[in-house]
Amino acid sequence: MKKLINNIKDNKKYIMTIFIITFIWGFITHGYMFFNSNLTHDSYMEAIADQSVSSWKIALGRIFYMPCLYLTRGILTQPWLIGIISLAFIAIAAILILKMFKVKENNSLINILVPGILTTNITIIALCGSFIHDMDVDMFAMLMSVLSVYLWRNYKKGFLLGIIPLLISLGIYQSYISVTITLIILLSVLDLLKEKDYRKVIKNGLLSILMIGIAC
């Protein structure tokens, strides 16, 4: 924990920059929905996440959805608060991705585009348009999927550490496992292009499969 705190302090300016970029993208693209109180589609039916909502989500395997909801903003669908929380989760995910791919802090273009891609893709557009009640929790699931890869990538036994966040992600919304798989493939291909020992790449790939399998 102390190492994490020191790392945040040392990179405070960079972290703040990525947060600002993410929020600019988010407010330009989705600001209308964040500050519009007219709920649509499923969001209208889940303006309040009561027991009936909890029951059917648990039946689908989304066992960590309600705990996550209670720990963030409660059971009321408040678009402005959901927007702020969602963008914060996206910003953290962007920082982890940029660190994994070793993007230099002075590479302004990539540091602008990565948060932009994470903020303006079709999934986020659909969430804002029809499922804003799920957006913040789903973005936490996405963040946990990214974190699992970050741990797998950066620690000696990271595949074991990565099981926990991936398990949480799967217990919120199973679809975000695709984020984990995609990042692992991209990193593995990048290692091969850099002519790293293919046996090590295969070994790490097998460990990632083990991590995913145990989490599932």
Side-chain angles (χ1 to χ4, degrees):
M1 182 60 72
K2 187 177 179 181
K3 184 179 178 181
L4 176 63
I5 293 171
N6 290 334
N7 195 25
I8 292 172
K9 287 180 179 178
D10 293 340
N11 295 277
K12 185 168 62 175
K13 184 178 179 181
Y14 176 70
I15 291 170
M16 188 60 65
T17 300
I18 299 301
F19 263 79
I20 291 171
I21 292 169
T22 303
F23 272 76
I24 290 173
W25 277 112
F27 285 134
I28 290 174
T29 312
H30 312 295
Y32 174 77
M33 291 306 298
F34 291 162
F35 298 104
N36 177 11
S37 60
N38 295 322
L39 301 177
T40 60
H41 199 50
D42 280 12
S43 298
Y44 179 76
M45 301 300 294
E46 294 190 33
I48 300 176
D50 57 15
Q51 185 60 43
S52 63
V53 172
S54 173
S55 298
W56 75 261
K57 288 186 185 294
I58 290 173
L60 292 176
R62 303 175 68 180
I63 58 174
F64 297 128
Y65 181 92
M66 293 307 294
C68 182
L69 203 65
Y70 286 124
L71 290 172
T72 52
R73 44 93 179 175
I75 63 173
L76 295 179
T77 297
Q78 303 173 78
W80 67 270
L81 181 57
I82 292 171
I84 291 171
I85 294 171
S86 299
L87 292 176
F89 289 149
I90 292 171
I92 298 170
I95 292 166
L96 294 177
I97 291 171
L98 290 165
K99 290 293 184 183
M100 274 191 282
F101 285 92
K102 299 187 182 334
V103 177
K104 294 180 180 179
E105 294 185 15
N106 60 1
N107 192 332
S108 301
L109 180 61
I110 301 300
N111 286 316
I112 290 172
L113 288 179
V114 169
I117 291 168
L118 291 176
T119 309
T120 63
N121 62 75
I122 192 66
T123 298
I124 310 301
I125 292 170
L127 282 171
C128 284
S130 302
F131 309 98
I132 200 166
H133 61 282
D134 283 335
M135 185 176 176
D136 50 350
V137 183
D138 280 10
M139 289 304 94
F140 182 69
M142 187 272 291
L143 171 58
M144 290 295 99
S145 290
V146 173
L147 178 60
S148 68
V149 182
Y150 182 84
L151 294 172
W152 163 78
R153 180 73 171 179
N154 291 285
Y155 292 89
K156 191 174 181 180
K157 293 186 178 179
F159 76 98
L160 290 174
L161 298 173
I163 292 169
I164 298 171
L166 185 55
L167 175 64
I168 294 170
S169 178
L170 289 166
I172 295 174
Y173 198 65
Q174 295 87 347
S175 296
Y176 289 100
I177 193 173
S178 60
V179 175
T180 299
I181 295 170
T182 301
L183 288 173
I184 289 171
I185 291 172
L186 289 174
L187 289 165
S188 299
V189 170
L190 192 62
D191 286 342
L192 292 173
L193 290 174
K194 290 181 177 179
E195 298 183 355
K196 286 193 175 182
D197 187 348
Y198 74 92
R199 289 167 294 187
K200 187 176 180 181
V201 175
I202 291 173
K203 179 186 174 183
N204 289 336
L206 292 172
L207 289 175
S208 73
I209 293 171
L210 183 62
M211 175 182 75
I212 293 169
I214 293 172
C216 287

